[in-house]
Amino acid sequence: MQTRELKDEVISDFDTIAYRYDLLTQMNPGYVKHLRWSALRLALQPGARVIDLCCGTGLSTRALVGAYPDAGEIVALDASAGMLDVAKKRAKRHDIQYVHGNALKPREAGITGHFDGALIAYGARNMTDVDGFLAAVVDLLAPGGRACFHEYSVRDSRWSQLKWNAVGHGIVLPSGLLATRTTSIWKYLIKSVQDFDGVSAFESRMRKAGFEEVKTWPMDGWQRGVVHSFVGVKPS
C-alpha cells in the first residue's frame, strides 16, 4: 500500500489542471451550496478551531469561512501544490493557514494541536488507505470534535449509480476535456466514485475508526443520493 494519500500521477494531474478546475465546479448546480451545507452540519461554536483537509482550490475553505465567520482559526491542507496555490490566491480571509502536505500524515506536515471541527470535501475516496485516513482525522480532533466528510457514495443505490455514470460520462468527461485539454484526471475521478464505499459501508468505517453519533445527511437536486454529508463525533 502506498504511503501517500494519492498516487503521484494523480497529484501531478491536479497540479496541472488547478487553474482550470473550477470551470467545471461552476457548471455543477448546487456545488457551492452543498459545500456550505456540509460546513454548517459541523454545528461549530464561535471561536472554534477548524481544519479543511484536502482543501483543493479552496471552495470548501470558503464554505467554512462563510459558515463560521467567528471561527478562531482555520487551517487548510492539500497534497497538490497547484491546487493550494489557487486556494491561497482566492482566499476570503487573510489569516487562514495553508499547509502543503499529506492528509494521511498531517502531523508530519506540521499540523499541531487539536481541532473542534474538520471538513473533508471529496477527499476520503481518493485515499490509498481510507481507514488510516479516518484514524488520522480522529487524531486531529479534540474530544467532542466533529468531522464532516462531504463525499460521493453511490454503491448502495442502482439509481444513484446510473445517475452518476450518466453525469460522469455525459457531462464531466467531455466538459473536463474542453476545459483542461486532458481526460486522465476526469476518468480517474469518475472511477473513484464508482469504486468507493456505499453509505452503509462508509458509516461502518467511521464507527470502526472511533467516531460516535454517525449520521448521513442528503443533498438536493441531481446530487441527492449521490453526494452526502457524513458527520461523526470524537468521543469526549
Side-chain angles (χ1 to χ4, degrees):
M1 183 169 289
Q2 298 184 41
T3 57
R4 300 195 69 172
E5 77 272 34
L6 296 175
K7 296 178 180 178
D8 289 342
E9 61 268 25
V10 175
I11 297 174
S12 178
D13 282 345
F14 275 124
D15 286 340
T16 300
I17 68 169
Y19 280 86
R20 310 285 290 177
Y21 186 80
D22 284 341
L23 290 175
L24 260 70
T25 62
Q26 292 168 8
M27 295 171 59
N28 185 343
Y31 189 94
V32 172
K33 176 180 71 174
H34 291 157
L35 285 172
R36 183 175 175 84
W37 284 8
S38 282
L40 288 169
R41 287 164 178 170
L42 284 169
L44 302 176
Q45 298 299 313
R49 188 171 190 241
V50 194
I51 188 165
D52 182 11
L53 289 168
C54 309
C55 70
T57 60
L59 291 179
S60 50
T61 315
R62 289 193 198 185
L64 287 170
V65 171
Y68 305 105
D70 297 325
E73 182 182 7
I74 296 178
V75 178
L77 178 146
D78 201 86
S80 165
M83 300 288 263
L84 204 61
D85 188 51
V86 174
K88 291 177 184 178
K89 291 180 178 179
R90 297 179 179 175
K92 295 293 185 180
R93 178 169 158 168
H94 298 297
D95 59 343
I96 296 171
Q97 179 186 353
Y98 291 95
V99 179
H100 181 216
N102 185 339
L104 269 173
K105 299 181 179 180
R107 299 298 187 191
E108 293 185 4
I111 302 296
T112 59
H114 293 87
F115 296 84
D116 303 296
L119 178 62
I120 305 94
Y122 308 116
R125 76 180 191 281
N126 292 317
M127 297 294 152
T128 56
D129 179 3
V130 178
D131 294 323
F133 175 59
L134 293 178
V137 176
V138 171
D139 174 69
L140 288 173
L141 293 173
R146 300 168 63 85
C148 179
F149 299 87
H150 180 92
E151 190 56 87
Y152 288 95
S153 178
V154 300
R155 294 187 74 173
D156 286 351
S157 166
R158 180 60 177 162
W159 167 239
S160 296
Q161 294 174 38
L162 291 171
K163 189 161 44 170
W164 170 246
N165 288 338
V167 170
H169 292 285
I171 298 175
V172 174
L173 195 58
S175 298
L177 175 60
L178 183 63
T180 64
R181 309 297 172 85
T182 182
T183 60
S184 61
I185 188 63
W186 308 111
K187 289 179 179 178
Y188 163 77
L189 291 174
I190 291 168
K191 190 172 189 303
S192 71
V193 174
Q194 296 168 335
D195 292 344
F196 190 58
D197 289 347
V199 170
S200 57
F202 190 64
E203 288 177 340
S204 294
R205 280 189 194 265
M206 290 179 66
R207 294 187 183 97
K208 183 179 178 181
F211 285 105
E212 296 181 344
E213 301 176 41
V214 174
K215 184 173 182 178
T216 302
W217 299 76
M219 303 301 164
D220 65 1
W222 80 266
Q223 293 186 86
R224 187 173 186 86
V226 176
V227 179
H228 316 263
S229 300
F230 296 92
V231 179
V233 180
K234 180 175 179 175
S236 298

